[in-house]
Amino acid sequence: MIRNSFYLIALLGSLMTFSACNPDPCKNVNCGANGSCLDGSCVCDIGYEGSACEIEWAEKFVGSYLGKDVCGNTTYNLTKPAVVSKRSATQIRISNFGGFDSFIDAEVTKSDEISFTNYEDPGKRRFTGSGKISGNRLTGSYTVTFSDGSKENCTFDYTK
């Protein structure tokens, strides 16, 4: 009986020593509601970044932009801003995209990238393309398919 108690005390002592030598690396790490800690660092949910997963990807895109779209050999300067609003952490809406006085919804696929595939606007035009934000500049390319089936390849270059 004394022998078994000795082993139990030795086992408990070694467990206490082991846990004292290997503190929890996530003990003082706060990843908020949008991530979890792994080995002392935050792993953010899709749509979030930052040391505490506090930055939404979509927020980077929000704002009013002016600029131009180039379709074929024709340049269209925006006279009315393209306005980006957030729909979720990974989705935005661009009003007046391409100067069409309509809107498209786009997925934020990475921290600084968007894509839209076969998105039909209220004017029955379909848009497929992608874009990237760098600072206050949003650039990209797209194909617009009109209701009669004709297509046009375009690029856009907008600045907040």
Side-chain angles (χ1 to χ4, degrees):
M1 176 101 152
I2 294 175
R3 188 173 169 181
N4 287 342
S5 296
F6 173 76
Y7 288 125
L8 181 60
I9 290 170
L11 176 63
L12 287 174
S14 64
L15 285 174
M16 288 173 55
T17 303
F18 177 74
S19 64
C21 292
N22 295 314
D24 180 3
C26 292
K27 181 178 178 182
N28 295 317
V29 177
N30 180 2
C31 300
N34 306 309
S36 56
C37 182
L38 178 65
D39 294 328
S41 297
C42 289
V43 177
C44 301
D45 298 339
I46 291 176
Y48 296 89
E49 65 184 10
S51 61
C53 303
E54 74 282 10
I55 300 168
E56 285 186 6
W57 291 353
E59 284 293 331
K60 294 177 182 181
F61 294 86
V62 173
S64 293
Y65 296 80
L66 285 174
K68 64 183 178 183
D69 288 71
V70 178
C71 299
N73 293 324
T74 306
T75 298
Y76 300 95
N77 291 307
L78 294 179
T79 56
K80 178 181 167 186
V83 178
V84 178
S85 57
K86 179 182 81 165
R87 299 189 42 87
S88 73
T90 58
Q91 189 177 53
I92 59 173
R93 174 166 285 171
I94 307 174
S95 299
N96 196 40
F97 180 74
F100 285 103
D101 204 23
S102 185
F103 66 86
I104 65 162
D105 290 337
E107 293 295 319
V108 183
T109 56
K110 290 184 180 176
S111 162
D112 60 350
E113 294 179 8
I114 60 169
S115 72
F116 40 98
T117 303
N118 215 20
Y119 184 84
E120 185 174 317
D121 78 352
K124 302 295 183 197
R125 295 171 289 247
R126 293 193 175 272
F127 295 86
T128 298
S130 62
K132 187 172 182 112
I133 194 161
S134 178
N136 289 329
R137 190 169 174 204
L138 179 59
T139 58
S141 60
Y142 63 95
T143 299
V144 58
T145 305
F146 296 94
S147 58
D148 66 1
S150 64
K151 294 182 180 190
E152 203 165 33
N153 293 319
C154 305
T155 61
F156 62 95
D157 189 342
Y158 301 159
T159 304
K160 279 189 201 182

